[in-house]
Amino acid sequence: VSMLITVSARCDLRVSADGRQVIGRSLEAGEWLQVAFGDSVELWGDDAGAVQFSINGQAGRILGSPGEPLSARIGRDDYDLYLARR
């Protein structure tokens, strides 16, 4: 499963894929990260409203309001629950 994460404002973000840390640092507005995972991906951060993502090319839903803490676990079998509804 392929996930593209982008940030629209400066935020601290930590991402783990299949149990191993991919990134754990502050990102600036406009930065992006491509993550591949087989089982699950976990995201933690300090500004849920600044984090946008897509999974296999499909837009993800909003994970929280600006300034709200981010904590999400997205699995291979349930990622469709995290996709934006049209």
Side-chain angles (χ1 to χ4, degrees), residues 13-36:
L13 185 65
R14 189 171 47 137
V15 178
S16 291
D18 299 327
R20 62 180 167 65
Q21 186 167 314
V22 175
I23 194 169
R25 64 176 176 86
S26 290
L27 288 105
E28 298 298 327
E31 282 194 74
W32 58 273
L33 173 68
Q34 187 80 40
V35 178

Side-chain angles (χ1 to χ4, degrees), residues 19-64:
R20 62 180 167 65
Q21 186 167 314
V22 175
I23 194 169
R25 64 176 176 86
S26 290
L27 288 105
E28 298 298 327
E31 282 194 74
W32 58 273
L33 173 68
Q34 187 80 40
V35 178
F37 65 95
D39 182 46
S40 67
V41 64
E42 295 180 80
L43 300 99
W44 300 273
D46 65 351
D47 189 351
V51 179
Q52 295 82 41
F53 68 95
S54 63
I55 298 176
N56 292 338
Q58 295 182 278
R61 66 176 171 81
I62 296 169
L63 295 174

